[in-house]
Amino acid sequence: MIPYTRSTRGASGFTGVAALGALLLAALAALLLAAPSAHAADPPLRDLAAAKGKIIGTAVTGGKLTGTYGDIAGREFNSLTPGNAMKWESVEPSRGTYNWAEADRIVDFAEAHGQQVRGHTLVWHSQNPGWLTGGSWTPAQFSAIVQDHITTEVGRYRGRVDAWDVVNEPFNEDGTYRQSLFYNHLGQDYIAQALTWARAADPAAKLYINDYNVEGVNAKSTALYDLVKSLKERGVPIDGVGLQAHFILGQVPSTLQQNIQRFADLGVDVAITELDIRMQVPATDAKLSQQAADYRAVMNACLAVSRCTGVTVWGFTDSDSWIPDFFEGYGAATPYDENFAPKPAYYAIAQSLGGTGDGGGGGEPTDGCTATYRVVNQWNTGFTGEVRVSCAGASLSSWKVDWTYSAGQRITQAWNAHCTQTGAAVSCSNASYNGAVPEGSSVTFGFNGSWSGSNPVPTVTLG
């Protein structure tokens, strides 16, 4: 992808226009770079969640846990779920031959950052190795293989993984059992067997059954309810249910809290394990506002039930989301955009957890409005930056954005704003035509600048 480079126009307070050659170089060779502001009027989400005794987690890709991605994952969340690294095909691609590299990386990262780990997943109909799915096994042979796999994986992380999605997606939409590899070899009691083997491998880990489209009261969630009730009555080890919560914009079930409560009344914990809320792209301010309301509704439903342990988002940034690859025309499902800028959904989560929603992942809001800085393009000794002023719960008739560079950066040109720089301090105010920012709208201004050595994103203040 070749990122675009903004044209020069409307500059005020500066002279000198970036050379055309530099702009062409930027268009052809620059990398999209962005990072959240270091400013946080609220504490990070993990601190807000911890104060309420809840988890706020995210699924992660182990190989990406560096740079801005790693910084956000470590700062904002108190629990990590390996997105793919602990699935059967990942850890045991050949029978008896294990690859723990990415799973270990995630667990090590979590321990270094004081985070819990949710293991995902041990028994699932998908993402299994060919040697397992293509084998001709007797029930006894298959049972021994599954027991060995669970014992090995859970045993490896004994005392290091706090909860396991032991069985994933066992039901069809109508509440009947999915005709999976495991069901077909072992019958419906494969679930009880898997839970029992996992308990033996790590008696302290919490054991869950996890599924999608079971968030509201319906035939599928009732089948899961009946299963959990039966397992409890039989004395099979079961500690909780995971509600995946892959939602479409505006379609959070009205019975979500009721459903969480009825599982809690069985004496098990409930976790929202894979939350994302997808929309038809492109995203608009109206869609992002609805998404924020939806995230808030899920958070509030969990917070209302004491045995709801917390919420895990299925990837925190749109650049690491599975949605575009599986749902054509949909995306923008997570709390951060592709450039790691927090979206209204981020602030809605913070507000639900008791924060003011006044920051923590981006610029500083003023009366419901926020300013977010990002680097659009960067090359050799130059860069193009952009600041977005957005209003979700208020409006502005004028605005001013200030920041201070920490590495000697200099703005050479700006558009859609009047900008001045004194030493390291930059101040930009609206042009005559874009001071008004109605509720639910946003304006942007851009600039070209120079840098040497490094180009860290500064703290942004909206006044």
Side-chain angles (χ1 to χ4, degrees), residues 13 17 92 133 138 151 198 201 212 216 246 255 277 288 293 296 299 322 369 408:
V17 179
E92 195 182 4
T133 59
T138 66
T151 300
Y212 65 93
H246 295 295
T255 55
I277 300 174
L288 292 173
R296 184 180 293 108
M299 295 297 302
W322 69 295
C369 300

Side-chain angles (χ1 to χ4, degrees), residues 390-401:
S390 303
C391 290
S395 62
L396 294 174
S397 59
S398 64
W399 47 264
K400 183 169 71 76
V401 180

